[in-house]
């Protein structure tokens, strides 16, 4: 009897270790925990706590984010995939703060939202996922596509899409494929933001600049275009905005990408190279005003 009990305890410990100390009621009972023992463990002042109906944390204290995500996957069932803001956080992409964990499940599965878990039934379950231990996340493009549908501001959607591309997490074609294959409901802002990023917008600040220029009546520049020396073909710079017919460039004063001393040094060097070639470089704070390139 003691051998059987020891084997059961070992199986339970191994399961908890694999699942970040999170376990379902069904798993606990299958591992040899009796119903009365389970009630005792979940009692006031004891070692386990309920995270949602039928899903427990075998520890005291506040659960970590990844323990909540583990609970979300266990509640959603086998093959489920975390998406939206929670997945963006894992991919280091700027996204909206969210109290809920969004999880994709097959369209045929009948399971309800619970506690901090929001389930999304879909016929487009990801064929490839990004794995972190026992957790499965949608790849960046899918996570962005799922997250933007809850947003109501073009600026916020554009910032997220631009950030994903700027960081190299995914490409414009990746996002375009998600837009084409995903639901059309709620896709308007996503489509507009993706068009801006395809045109060269790489930050929310640059998007603000484009919006201001559109209202000002000024000609639209090229965004993040590469400038080369006509004489020797050498690379000069890639300013945030560039009017080639007027020899005017704009550098957006964006706190998103120019915080470190290294970034500041690179910015000054880039501006110096442009200045040596006679290019007028205008700084811009797009939240305040748009630059006015001189007329020829």
């Amino acid at each position: 009897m003691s051998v059987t009990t020891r084997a059961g305890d070992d199986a339970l410990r191994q399961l908890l270790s694999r699942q970040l100390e999170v376990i379902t009621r069904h798993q606990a009972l299958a591992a040899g925990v009796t119903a009365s023992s389970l009630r005792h463990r979940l009692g006031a002042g004891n070692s386990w706590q309920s995270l949602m109906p039928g899903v427990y944390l075998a520890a005291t204290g506040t659960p970590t984010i990844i323990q909540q995500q583990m609970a979300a996957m266990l509640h959603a069932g086998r093959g489920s995939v975390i998406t939206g803001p929670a997945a963006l956080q894992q991919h280091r992409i700027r996204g909206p703060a969210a109290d809920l964990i969004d999880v994709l499940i097959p369209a045929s599965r009948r399971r309800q939202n619970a506690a901090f878990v929001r389930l999304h039934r879909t016929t487009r379950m990801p064929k490839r996922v990004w794995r972190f231990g026992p957790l499965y996340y949608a790849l960046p493009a899918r996570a962005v596509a799922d997250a933007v549908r809850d947003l109501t501001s073009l600026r916020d959607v554009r910032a997220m899409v631009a950030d994903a591309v700027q960081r190299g997490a995914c490409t414009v074609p990746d996002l375009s494929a998600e837009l084409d294959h995903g639901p059309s409901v709620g896709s308007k802002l996503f489509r507009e933001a993706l068009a801006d990023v395809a045109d060269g917008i790489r930050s929310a600040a640059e998007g603000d600049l484009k919006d201001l220029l559109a209202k000002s009546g000024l000609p639209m520049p090229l965004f993040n275009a590469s400038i080369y020396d006509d004489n020797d073909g050498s690379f000069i710079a890639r300013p945030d905005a560039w009017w080639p017919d007027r020899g005017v460039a704009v550098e957006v004063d964006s706190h998103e990408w120019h915080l470190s001393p290294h970034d500041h040094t690179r910015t000054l060097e880039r501006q110096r190279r442009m200045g040596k070639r006679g290019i007028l470089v205008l700084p811009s704070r797009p939240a305040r005003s748009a630059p006015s390139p001189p007329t020829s």
Side-chain angles (χ1 to χ4, degrees):
M1 186 69 177
S2 61
V3 174
T4 302
T5 302
R6 191 180 308 116
D9 289 344
D10 289 344
L12 179 62
R13 282 195 294 268
Q14 291 173 12
L15 178 61
L16 290 172
S17 178
R18 288 197 304 270
Q19 295 185 172
L20 310 174
E21 304 303 313
V22 183
I23 190 170
T24 68
R25 175 181 176 83
H26 175 77
Q27 288 176 328
L29 295 175
V33 179
T34 64
S36 60
S37 175
L38 184 56
R39 286 193 296 271
H40 175 73
R41 293 171 192 246
L42 292 168
N46 287 314
S47 56
W48 287 21
Q49 57 181 296
S50 176
L51 297 181
M52 67 184 72
V55 182
Y56 316 120
L57 175 65
T60 58
T62 303
T64 66
I65 291 174
I66 61 171
Q67 284 174 331
Q68 288 183 319
Q69 292 174 357
M70 185 74 251
M73 287 192 61
L74 289 174
H75 170 71
R78 184 181 298 275
S80 58
V81 179
I82 297 170
T83 190
L88 293 179
Q89 185 179 43
Q90 287 297 323
H91 295 307
R92 306 290 194 272
I93 298 172
R94 290 186 178 95
D99 295 328
L100 299 176
I101 298 171
D102 295 290
V103 185
L104 298 171
I105 61 173
S108 59
R109 183 170 298 168
R110 299 302 172 202
R111 196 153 296 187
Q112 301 299 317
N113 298 339
F116 45 81
V117 182
R118 182 167 57 176
L119 302 178
H120 300 267
R121 294 179 180 83
T122 178
T123 57
R124 297 179 55 244
M125 287 299 296
K127 296 180 180 178
R128 296 172 55 237
V129 296
W130 188 82
R131 183 174 178 177
F132 178 71
L135 302 174
Y136 294 85
Y137 300 91
L139 295 181
R142 179 63 181 270
V144 169
D146 288 337
V148 298
R149 299 182 192 283
D150 283 338
L151 301 181
T152 58
S153 162
L154 175 59
R155 188 179 193 276
D156 292 342
V157 175
R158 188 162 51 196
M160 187 192 306
V161 173
D163 193 66
V165 174
Q166 176 76 12
R167 294 179 186 276
C170 56
T171 65
V172 170
D174 293 335
L175 292 165
S176 181
E178 286 294 338
L179 177 62
D180 291 342
H181 293 104
S184 58
V185 177
S187 65
K188 181 177 181 292
L189 295 181
F190 186 18
R191 191 175 302 279
E192 291 180 24
L194 188 55
D196 287 341
V197 173
D199 285 341
I201 298 298
R202 290 296 180 267
S203 71
E206 291 173 13
D208 291 342
L209 174 62
K210 180 180 180 180
D211 291 342
L212 285 169
L213 288 170
K215 294 176 183 177
S216 72
L218 292 170
M220 197 61 66
L222 301 176
F223 290 95
N224 288 289
S226 298
I227 304 175
Y228 295 89
D229 193 305
D230 289 336
N231 296 320
D232 59 15
S234 60
F235 175 75
I236 300 173
R238 187 179 294 108
D240 297 317
W242 165 238
W243 285 268
D245 57 332
R246 302 188 182 190
V248 176
V250 169
E251 293 278 75
V252 179
D253 182 13
S254 170
H255 293 288
E256 291 175 282
W257 302 106
H258 306 108
L259 288 176
S260 72
H262 177 64
D263 289 334
H264 181 65
T265 300
R266 290 178 59 189
T267 298
L268 293 178
E269 174 59 24
R270 184 168 63 251
Q271 293 176 355
R272 184 190 67 79
R273 291 198 305 270
M274 288 189 283
K276 284 179 63 176
R277 269 83 169 183
I279 297 172
L280 177 61
V281 181
L282 302 176
S284 173
R285 291 176 180 243
R288 298 180 182 178
S289 61
S292 300
T295 58
S296 53

